């Protein structure tokens, strides 16, 4: 059952900005590769160079709460 409390639903291919957490010391952006009930899997694309080791340890991926992810664009916008 989908939650219809949000006007904009995050979907695969959306670019999102997320706040720092865990081993990351800075905010980052990336592309949504999988959508779960309350979170999304983000392939980290743009991050602070100081977080290079942490991003590598996380295999360039992070699970982010939907409420903490802000849509900044979509893959279709690049065309």
């Amino acid at each position: 059952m989908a939650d219809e409390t949000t006007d904009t639903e995050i979907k695969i291919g959306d670019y999102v900005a997320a706040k720092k957490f865990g081993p990351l010391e800075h905010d980052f952006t990336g592309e949504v590769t999988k959508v779960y009930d309350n979170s999304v899997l983000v392939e980290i694309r743009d991050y602070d160079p100081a977080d290079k080791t942490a991003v590598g340890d996380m295999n360039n991926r992070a699970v982010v709460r939907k409420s903490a992810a802000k849509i900044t664009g979509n893959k279709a916008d690049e065309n």
Side-chain angles (χ1 to χ4, degrees), residues 11-79:
K11 55 193 173 301
I12 293 174
D14 285 344
Y15 290 108
V16 295
K19 298 285 184 187
K20 63 182 180 176
F21 72 95
L24 300 173
E25 297 179 8
H26 303 88
D27 297 346
F28 62 94
T29 61
E31 181 182 345
V32 175
T33 57
K34 186 159 184 161
V35 178
Y36 301 102
D37 289 336
N38 298 309
S39 58
V40 291
L41 179 63
V42 176
E43 183 176 333
I44 301 171
R45 297 282 175 91
D46 187 34
Y47 56 92
D48 190 281
D51 288 332
K52 183 176 183 175
T53 301
V55 170
D57 289 347
M58 297 168 60
N59 294 319
N60 289 32
R61 295 186 182 105
V63 175
V64 179
R65 286 178 291 139
K66 285 183 180 179
S67 61
K70 180 180 177 194
I71 298 174
T72 59
N74 187 291
K75 196 174 210 174
D77 295 341
E78 291 181 349
N79 297 333

